Amino acid sequence: MPKRILPFFSYLFHPVFIPIYATLFYLFSNHSYFFNKEKYIVLLQVSIITFVIPIMFFFLLKLTGKITSIMVPELSERKFPLVIQCFLIILLVRKSITLELYPELHFFFLGALMSTLIALSLLFFNTKVSLHMMGLSALAFFVFGLSLHHQTPNTALIIFLVLMNGVVASSRLIMKAHTPKELIMGVLLGSIPQILLLYVWL
């Protein structure tokens, strides 16, 4: 794959899009039992809380010089966006994606919260992890777990997401955004909470 194409995948699978991708799969895959109106309301809620609000904060932080790029390359730039993300996920799981209404998606976001809190904690030890790999690996395990849960074949999508983990990792290396260690840590940080929580809702 040409090197000039690889950076496109860093934007396509930017962490800010991962909650929307997970919600789309949860609501619109072949096991879905939700009414159309409910699907769009839930998708709108997730989109506003995990995409629209973070983008607004991004422009605010960029205007004030707190961050330089949507990729937040510098370790010092990541703390405030991750704190915001933690609060937004907590808001989401407490007020919208609740355990009673959407248990599987609720646990996906709980796993994402665990991953984000650990990634934030590591920043205080001058350790950066790949948020791209964290989000994408979490999505892959969520799709895998949901497929097992509902006994629905999503083999092609799971294989695609595994391949995309490799493509995005290559993209981040080519863009010199991360070291191999940071990419591996991102995969582990995204995967392990999702795997642990699978035992709760599978």
Side-chain angles (χ1 to χ4, degrees):
M1 186 176 293
K3 290 184 178 181
R4 64 179 178 273
I5 296 176
L6 282 174
F8 164 77
F9 292 95
S10 282
Y11 292 95
L12 180 63
F13 291 102
H14 190 280
V16 78
F17 294 124
I18 298 299
I20 296 176
Y21 294 157
T23 304
L24 282 169
F25 177 74
Y26 177 70
L27 295 174
F28 293 94
S29 60
N30 54 3
H31 65 262
S32 176
Y33 52 86
F34 303 105
F35 294 110
N36 282 334
K37 183 179 179 180
E38 183 181 9
K39 291 178 181 180
Y40 293 118
I41 290 173
V42 172
L43 182 60
L44 180 62
Q45 290 172 337
V46 171
S47 299
I48 290 172
I49 293 175
T50 67
F51 178 75
V52 176
I53 295 176
I55 290 296
M56 291 171 63
F57 270 108
F58 161 73
F59 284 113
L60 179 62
L61 292 172
K62 190 168 174 58
L63 283 172
T64 57
K66 299 295 184 181
I67 58 176
T68 57
S69 164
I70 198 167
M71 295 296 179
V72 282
E74 299 300 325
L75 190 144
S76 59
E77 296 178 357
R78 293 180 163 226
K79 292 178 182 177
F80 194 51
L82 287 180
V83 169
I84 294 170
Q85 185 177 347
C86 287
F87 279 110
L88 291 175
I89 295 175
I90 291 170
L91 175 66
L92 195 63
V93 297
R94 286 180 61 86
K95 299 297 184 181
S96 179
I97 310 301
T98 62
L99 180 60
E100 295 78 18
L101 294 175
Y102 313 104
E104 301 90 351
L105 193 59
H106 178 84
F107 282 115
F108 168 76
F109 281 112
L110 280 184
L113 178 60
M114 291 168 60
S115 299
T116 305
L117 285 169
I118 297 171
L120 176 61
S121 300
L122 289 173
L123 290 178
F124 292 93
F125 296 95
N126 293 319
T127 301
K128 183 173 75 169
V129 302
S130 171
L131 302 180
H132 280 75
M133 300 310 299
M134 189 174 82
L136 189 51
S137 60
L139 177 63
F141 273 98
F142 177 64
V143 171
F144 173 72
L146 209 55
S147 300
L148 286 180
H149 184 57
H150 292 283
Q151 297 183 343
T152 53
N154 291 292
T155 308
L157 179 58
I158 294 168
I159 292 173
F160 170 76
L161 290 173
V162 171
L163 289 174
M164 284 302 100
N165 269 269
V167 171
V168 171
S170 300
S171 170
R172 304 307 287 156
L173 286 173
I174 284 180
M175 295 173 73
K176 297 182 179 179
H178 289 289
T179 64
K181 178 184 176 181
E182 291 168 352
L183 294 173
I184 293 170
M185 288 177 66
V187 171
L188 293 175
L189 204 53
S191 302
I192 292 173
Q194 296 296 330
I195 293 170
L196 293 175
L197 289 173
L198 283 181
Y199 289 98
V200 179
W201 61 267
L202 266 186

